[in-house]
Amino acid sequence: MKTIDIVAYKRTDLGKGSARQLRKKALLPCVLYGGKSHLHLYMNMAEANDFIYTPEVFFIKVKVGEAHYTCIVKDLQFHPVNGFPLHVDLLQIFDDKSIQMHIPIRSVGSSVGVAKGGALLKKVRKISVFALPKDIPAFIDVDVSGLDLGQTAKVKDVVAANYVIQENLSMPLITIGIPRALRSKVNEATKAE
């Protein structure tokens, strides 16, 4: 799993007004949870964009003064109109404690159905896994090489290594859709049989 290094600074003034002033200076207010007490911090917006606008999952190493914290993004808040980030909540992680994270899925292999003209459709973008931080994968690979037209890869088809998938086993992940042009041909072939 990739790691991003961020430098953050402690906030002395709390509240909406001080947070608004930080945002005007291109600084992002944040809170770090998970330790003995939570820390109110702020960081440079340009550095925060590295993990905010990326679909991959990262561990974030936050340096506050002389202290270093390894964490993940717990929650992001965006402005409802312009879409700019308003606030981020970080959760400190520890090597000996398992965590739950939403990991993106990606298809692996060449599908038979796609070769026949079908469309590969992702039903979900991320699935929840539970594991120690060292065992958290960057992606969950879903093998689609055996999928024909109209077939679906489900959670039960994923081979989990050192992590537990926290989803219903019958949940569909990727389907090979049948376009309209092919659908009529498939129906005709089925009737002929």
Side-chain angles (χ1 to χ4, degrees):
M1 172 104 35
K2 294 182 182 177
T3 304
I4 295 177
D5 294 321
I6 300 285
V7 177
Y9 306 94
K10 287 187 178 179
R11 289 172 54 192
T12 53
D13 296 333
L14 303 178
K16 289 182 181 179
S18 63
R20 211 173 284 127
Q21 293 302 319
L22 287 172
R23 287 185 210 105
K24 285 181 181 178
K25 297 175 186 173
L27 301 171
L28 180 65
C30 61
V31 178
L32 175 64
Y33 295 97
K36 294 178 183 176
S37 63
H38 55 277
L39 297 172
H40 293 274
L41 307 170
Y42 67 90
M43 63 182 70
N44 187 324
M45 188 75 74
E47 288 183 10
N49 287 341
D50 290 342
F51 65 85
I52 290 175
Y53 296 111
T54 306
E56 294 182 49
V57 178
F58 294 100
F59 290 139
I60 303 163
K61 291 209 176 202
V62 179
K63 180 182 177 195
V64 183
E66 297 299 316
H68 295 268
Y69 304 96
T70 303
C71 41
I72 58 173
V73 175
K74 181 179 176 184
D75 189 31
L76 281 168
Q77 296 173 4
F78 293 94
H79 191 279
V81 176
N82 61 24
F84 289 125
L86 296 176
H87 187 270
V88 63
D89 288 334
L90 302 172
L91 179 65
Q92 185 178 0
I93 59 173
F94 303 94
D95 293 336
D96 59 342
K97 291 186 179 179
S98 295
I99 57 173
Q100 181 178 358
M101 290 187 72
H102 287 63
I103 308 298
I105 64 167
R106 67 178 173 187
S107 60
V108 177
S110 298
S111 169
V112 176
V114 171
K116 292 178 181 178
L120 189 129
L121 307 170
K122 281 189 180 179
K123 296 295 186 178
V124 293
R125 297 203 180 275
K126 294 182 178 185
I127 59 175
S128 177
V129 301
F130 187 73
L132 291 171
K134 67 179 181 67
D135 296 328
I136 296 285
F139 291 97
I140 303 283
D141 291 330
V142 179
D143 186 19
V144 296
S145 56
L147 296 182
D148 203 351
L149 292 171
Q151 292 183 332
T152 301
K154 298 182 178 182
V155 171
K156 67 181 178 184
D157 301 325
V158 175
V159 179
N162 299 327
Y163 57 86
V164 177
I165 297 175
Q166 302 275 295
E167 304 287 354
N168 187 338
L169 294 178
S170 62
M171 182 174 83
L173 299 176
I174 297 175
T175 298
I176 305 301
I178 306 172
R180 282 187 196 165
L182 283 178
R183 193 171 295 149
S184 60
K185 291 179 184 177
V186 169
N187 289 340
E188 289 172 9
T190 307
K191 287 178 184 177
E193 290 177 6

